[in-house]
């Protein structure tokens, strides 16, 4: 029941926040308390888990005649992702404290329901339940962009919804097909993984799953929804999109591709690596040409998620470990940068790098924070991003040195866009003219937390790798 409670807590917390709105700032504290309770419950589950792969694993028949069950399991990878979801949920509330003043109840309910659906994705092993949560997370995320976004927010929200909902049909169709091919009707991923399918069939099923995962991962050419959604979403929406929703695509590929389709994955792996290399170069080069700070960071997300795709496709230990670490590292760095840019936009009403600058003179806390996370963006040694990308590159060298060199070239491109962002915001003459208020404590402490996370993983990666190792080995063993 503890795993189901992890999903129900934010779902119910969202309802309470919705109805508590209008009474001071109660809905904000209800949302924070909900995510804090999730973290306490998560730590209790992990602490009580045995030494095997799964900390907890449950299965309750729901519609036995159709082979549908409430089948949930949690290992180190799921636990890390859920901790990120709850932590970023709290940070999203803090980041939007002064930004969101209308329909606050619905806003905080949407935050809770987005997190609830993503936790369902990270725990579900019944493919139909997984597909339900996969589609369910689109609704509150769409609401966050469409209601509290900026500019053509409705257009950006619709593009996000259409791309992801349409791609989700690939996942649903492949799940139905797998269930139909089983000896008895079942959607259990554990049972379906035991089926002996030909490589040809596995490839087709994998393509169905991958359509949904690639669109969420935003690897070119499946990325068209991301720049507008990231740029026009409110700060909290950008934090959840970059830190959480993109990771559901990476998680799906990491978890289910080697588990259900090991031969199919081996067959298409070279294409996955090539697509990742092209995407990393494309995202990085386009980011270099952006003047909108938020749009620049959005394109760097495309580059970093493409590196994750390269790591997963390579299927060797170093590359898989690097992909898993990069998922966490990118959550820290991209979320922090979106928070900082959002806070700066509240003060200056512009994100144009040509109209900003000089933060080291007017707002030293802002300047220090941008310096730290721009360092993470270019994967400077000592940051979590360096560990993730270095492991992926090492792994790719074991598979194909040409693609490894391409991956290395993306690191050079990252130096260009990260230094351009840093120069445009931190150095030069102060723009707009002072006074510019420095970061408040509500903006500062989430940055401190994410900065500490970036440095801890960067300086002592074993703290994270030990948690992820069982999931990495599981993906490795089933990848020929």
């Amino acid at each position: 029941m503890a795993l189901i409670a992890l999903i129900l807590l934010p779902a119910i917390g969202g309802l309470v926040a919705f109805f508590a709105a209008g009474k001071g700032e109660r809905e904000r504290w209800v949302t924070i308390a909900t995510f804090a309770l999730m973290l306490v419950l998560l730590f209790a589950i992990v602490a009580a888990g045995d030494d095997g792969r799964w900390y907890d694993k449950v299965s309750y028949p729901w519609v036995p005649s159709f082979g549908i069950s409430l089948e949930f399991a949690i290992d180190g990878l799921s636990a890390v992702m859920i901790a990120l979801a709850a932590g970023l949920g709290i940070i999203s509330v803090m980041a939007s404290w002064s930004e969101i003043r209308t329909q606050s109840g619905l806003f905080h309910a949407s935050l809770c329901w987005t997190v609830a659906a993503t936790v369902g994705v990270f725990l579900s092993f019944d493919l139909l339940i997984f597909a339900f949560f996969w589609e369910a997370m689109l609704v509150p995320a769409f609401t966050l962009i469409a209601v509290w976004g900026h500019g053509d927010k409705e257009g950006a929200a619709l593009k996000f919804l259409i791309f992801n909902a349409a791609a989700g049909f690939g996942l649903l169709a492949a799940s139905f097909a797998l269930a139909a091919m089983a000896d008895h009707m079942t959607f259990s991923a554990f049972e379906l993984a035991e089926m002996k399918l030909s490589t040809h069939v596995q490839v087709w099923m994998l393509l169905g799953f991958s359509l949904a995962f690639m669109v969420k991962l935003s690897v070119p050419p499946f990325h068209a929804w991301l720049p507008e959604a990231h740029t026009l979403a409110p700060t909290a929406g950008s934090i959840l999109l970059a830190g959480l929703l993109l990771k559901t695509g990476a998680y799906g590929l990491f978890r289910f591709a080697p588990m259900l389709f090991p031969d199919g994955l081996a067959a298409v792996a070279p294409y996955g690596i090539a697509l990742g290399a092209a995407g990393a170069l494309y995202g990085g080069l386009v980011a270099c040409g952006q003047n909108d700070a938020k749009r620049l960071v959005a394109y760097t997300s495309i580059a970093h998620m493409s590196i994750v795709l390269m790591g997963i496709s390579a299927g060797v230990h170093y590359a898989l470990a690097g992909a898993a670490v990069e998922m966490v590292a990118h959550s820290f760095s991209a979320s922090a940068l979106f928070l900082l840019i959002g806070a700066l936009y509240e003060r200056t009403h512009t994100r144009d790098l040509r109209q900003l600058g000089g933060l080291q003179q007017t707002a030293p806390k802002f300047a220090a924070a941008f310096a730290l996370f721009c360092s993470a963006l270019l994967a400077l040694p000592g940051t979590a991003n360096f560990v993730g990308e270095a492991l992926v590159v090492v792994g790719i060298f074991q598979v194909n040195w040409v693609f490894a060199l391409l991956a290395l070239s993306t690191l050079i491109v990252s130096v260009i866009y990260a230094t351009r962002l840093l120069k445009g915001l931190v150095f030069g003459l102060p723009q707009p003219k002072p006074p510019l208020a420095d970061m408040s404590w509500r903006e500062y402490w989430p940055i401190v937390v994410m900065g500490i996370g970036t440095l801890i993983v960067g300086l002592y990666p074993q703290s994270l790798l030990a948690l992820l190792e069982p999931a990495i080995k599981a993906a490795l063993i089933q990848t020929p």
Side-chain angles (χ1 to χ4, degrees):
M1 286 302 293
L3 298 186
I4 296 176
L6 270 178
I7 302 170
L8 289 179
L9 256 175
I12 295 170
L15 282 175
V16 176
F18 181 79
F19 288 110
K23 300 172 184 176
E25 294 178 331
R26 197 175 295 177
E27 70 276 13
R28 303 178 196 277
W29 293 109
V30 166
T31 308
I32 290 173
T34 298
F35 294 138
L37 279 174
M38 279 182 63
L39 286 172
V40 171
L41 179 57
L42 176 65
F43 291 143
I45 293 170
V46 173
D50 57 31
D51 294 331
R53 179 183 173 189
W54 304 105
Y55 296 124
D56 198 2
K57 191 176 177 183
V58 296
S59 181
Y60 304 104
W62 185 28
V63 188
S65 54
F66 289 101
I68 306 171
S69 59
L70 299 176
E71 189 164 33
F72 304 109
I74 182 171
D75 63 356
L77 178 62
S78 300
V80 169
M81 291 294 108
I82 293 169
L84 275 176
L88 291 177
I90 295 174
I91 288 170
S92 296
V93 177
M94 306 302 284
S96 57
W97 204 279
S98 57
E99 182 186 12
I100 303 301
R101 288 295 167 189
T102 59
Q103 303 185 70
S104 181
L106 180 60
F107 175 82
H108 289 86
S110 297
L111 289 182
C112 288
W113 293 334
T114 302
V115 169
T118 52
V119 170
V121 166
F122 293 139
L123 291 178
S124 298
F125 281 83
D126 181 288
L127 296 183
L128 206 56
I129 301 297
F130 176 85
F132 165 77
F133 285 120
W134 187 266
E135 296 293 339
M137 66 181 159
L138 299 181
V139 179
F142 167 85
T143 306
L144 286 172
I145 302 169
V147 178
W148 296 277
H150 310 283
D152 184 19
K153 55 188 180 183
E154 293 88 356
L158 278 174
K159 188 182 281 187
F160 161 77
L161 186 65
I162 291 170
F163 266 74
N164 286 280
F169 284 109
L171 168 66
L172 206 55
S175 299
F176 286 144
L178 278 175
M181 285 186 277
D183 293 336
H184 62 282
M185 180 66 82
T186 180
F187 288 92
S188 168
F190 294 114
E191 292 185 36
L192 293 172
E194 300 298 322
M195 282 200 305
K196 303 298 180 188
L197 299 175
S198 68
T199 301
H200 179 74
V201 172
Q202 287 192 29
V203 167
W204 279 106
M205 296 298 104
L206 176 59
L207 290 178
F209 275 63
S210 296
L211 179 63
F213 298 154
M214 293 282 201
V215 169
K216 196 61 66 63
L217 196 60
S218 298
V219 173
F222 307 101
H223 69 292
W225 64 271
L226 182 137
E228 282 75 18
H230 269 11
T231 306
L232 303 181
T235 300
S238 298
I239 290 172
L240 289 186
L241 281 173
L244 199 54
L245 266 67
L246 297 190
K247 306 306 176 302
T248 59
Y251 171 86
L253 279 175
F254 197 106
R255 177 72 81 198
F256 291 114
M259 178 182 184
L260 297 172
F261 320 110
D263 298 335
L265 178 60
V268 302
Y271 303 102
I273 298 173
L275 190 62
L281 274 174
Y282 168 82
L285 290 173
V286 176
C288 292
Q290 301 302 312
N291 290 316
D292 185 315
K294 210 172 175 184
R295 199 172 180 85
L296 186 156
V297 178
Y299 275 104
T300 67
S301 293
I302 293 173
H304 288 111
M305 290 302 96
S306 297
I307 290 173
V308 170
L309 174 63
M310 292 180 76
I312 296 172
S313 300
V316 295
H317 188 275
Y318 286 125
L320 286 167
V325 172
E326 182 66 12
M327 287 160 62
V328 177
H330 178 263
S331 290
F332 288 146
S333 59
S335 298
L337 285 169
F338 279 128
L339 189 157
L340 289 167
I341 294 168
L344 198 58
Y345 180 79
E346 280 190 54
R347 290 160 172 78
T348 62
H349 305 291
T350 181
R351 297 186 300 264
D352 193 325
L353 293 174
R354 295 164 297 188
Q355 300 173 16
L356 294 167
L359 285 176
Q360 92 281 7
Q361 298 178 40
T362 57
K365 289 181 182 175
F366 260 121
F370 272 117
L372 172 61
F373 288 104
C374 284
S375 301
L377 207 58
L378 61 85
L380 203 68
T383 64
N385 304 61
F386 172 78
V387 176
E389 293 182 24
L391 285 171
V392 169
V393 171
V394 171
I396 299 290
F397 262 117
Q398 294 178 324
V399 177
N400 186 308
W401 66 270
V402 174
F403 287 127
L405 292 177
L406 282 174
L408 273 176
S409 69
T410 66
L411 301 183
I412 298 171
V413 176
S414 72
V415 174
I416 299 172
Y417 61 65
T419 52
R420 182 165 185 269
L421 182 64
L422 188 65
K423 179 179 179 294
L425 295 172
V426 174
F427 300 111
L429 295 174
Q431 295 187 73
K433 297 296 182 184
L436 180 70
D438 209 340
M439 299 173 68
S440 68
W441 71 269
R442 273 197 297 267
E443 295 160 340
Y444 197 59
W445 80 256
I447 291 298
V448 170
V449 170
M450 289 188 280
I452 290 172
T454 296
L455 293 175
I456 287 179
V457 176
L459 296 172
Y460 184 55
Q462 193 57 34
S463 59
L464 177 62
L465 288 170
L467 278 172
L468 300 173
E469 188 63 18
I472 294 168
K473 282 183 176 174
L476 180 65
I477 289 169
Q478 297 181 51
T479 304

